[in-house]
Amino acid sequence: AQSVTQLGSHVSVSEGALVLLRCNYSSSVPPYLFWYVQYPNQGLQLLLKYTSAATLVKGINGFEAEFKKSETSFHLTKPSAHMSDAAEYFCAVSGDSGGYNKLIFGAGTRLAVHP
Amino acid sequence: NAGVTQTPKFRILKIGQSMTLQCTQDMNHNYMYWYRQDPGMGLKLIYYSVGAGITDKGEVPNGYNVSRSTTEDFPLRLELAAPSQTSVYFCASSYSPESPLHFGNGTRLTVT
């Protein structure tokens, strides 16, 4: 069965510093991978998705993620953090059916950005 | 364009009470989903629907029921509320299995 592990439930960075949020997955079939962001009191919004095309995926707000099959990882990065990036971030993998409609979510990483 | 709308935003229930969480979308999406979000646990799929009249169980369906009489609406029913159902509930929709999910802003439910 597919699963997702997000390393670090809380990450704190300074404004302007590199953001690195880690995600490892397990999957018996080629996965589809996603990063979603959740701002306080809101639903989740799609940041980016990997669907077996380019291994480096660019998303909104300057975020990007790299699919590394050998490491079963899909880490999310941003070169320079902004105060508005403070939110909770979720990594997700498509379910056993291989369809997008049964996403398995990680537990989430809360990103804090301080001046 | 309102997207996915959930009501109510907050609700407190007593053990054994019942209620319906409402979800409606105006994007003409066929696929709709209900998730619950518990602290430190991520999101778990409760039920999903691939079109009007068709529903199926997700990962954690026990204690819940759904219906899909129209494309727009996908209500979630709790018949006998239990403290374990205290959670934040999110409804989502997508145009197809390949499309991103659009989420509502959630319903925070407390059962005491």
Side-chain angles (χ1 to χ4, degrees):
Chain A
Q2 271 83 347
S3 67
V4 175
T5 301
Q6 290 185 241
L7 300 176
S9 58
H10 291 81
V11 170
S12 181
V13 301
S14 299
E15 191 173 21
L18 171 71
V19 175
L20 171 61
L21 305 182
R22 301 177 187 273
C23 172
N24 289 87
Y25 69 92
S26 68
S27 176
S28 57
V29 298
Y32 297 114
L33 294 157
F34 306 80
W35 277 99
Y36 281 84
V37 61
Q38 184 180 30
Y39 298 103
N41 300 314
Q42 294 186 25
L44 280 69
Q45 303 172 33
L46 181 70
L47 266 181
L48 49 82
K49 63 178 181 179
Y50 166 76
T51 57
S52 75
T55 56
L56 184 61
V57 182
K58 294 187 182 300
I60 62 172
N61 300 337
F63 284 93
E64 62 183 34
E66 185 173 9
F67 173 69
K68 291 187 176 180
K69 184 178 180 180
S70 61
E71 299 177 7
T72 61
S73 69
F74 190 57
H75 302 331
L76 181 71
T77 61
K78 182 174 181 178
S80 177
H82 191 273
M83 297 295 288
S84 62
D85 293 328
E88 190 155 21
Y89 293 79
F90 293 91
C91 183
V93 65
S94 57
D96 287 333
S97 67
Y100 290 60
N101 59 357
K102 291 186 180 180
L103 291 184
I104 307 298
F105 284 87
T109 297
R110 188 170 297 279
L111 176 66
V113 182
H114 51 85
Chain B
N1 193 345
V4 179
T5 302
Q6 292 183 237
T7 56
K9 292 183 178 176
F10 305 94
R11 183 72 186 268
I12 298 175
L13 281 181
K14 294 187 183 301
I15 295 171
Q17 287 185 321
S18 62
M19 77 163 293
T20 299
L21 282 66
Q22 301 292 346
C23 175
T24 187
Q25 51 91 10
D26 61 0
M27 296 173 283
N28 201 32
H29 286 170
N30 285 322
Y31 295 80
M32 295 189 74
Y33 319 85
W34 274 105
Y35 287 91
R36 60 177 288 171
Q37 182 182 28
D38 301 305
M41 301 291 290
L43 279 76
K44 304 289 186 185
L45 182 64
I46 305 171
Y47 271 95
Y48 69 100
S49 169
V50 301
I54 305 170
T55 63
D56 205 351
K57 296 178 180 178
E59 186 179 359
V60 289
N62 291 344
Y64 307 95
N65 280 299
V66 294
S67 60
R68 185 91 183 272
S69 57
T70 67
T71 299
E72 295 78 18
D73 300 308
F74 190 42
L76 178 71
R77 179 82 177 164
L78 284 71
E79 291 294 349
L80 292 171
S84 61
Q85 294 177 306
T86 294
S87 187
V88 181
Y89 292 84
F90 287 100
C91 179
S93 72
S94 66
Y95 177 73
S96 71
E98 293 77 24
S99 304
L101 300 181
H102 295 257
F103 283 84
N105 285 341
T107 295
R108 185 175 297 274
L109 176 67
T110 302
V111 182
T112 62

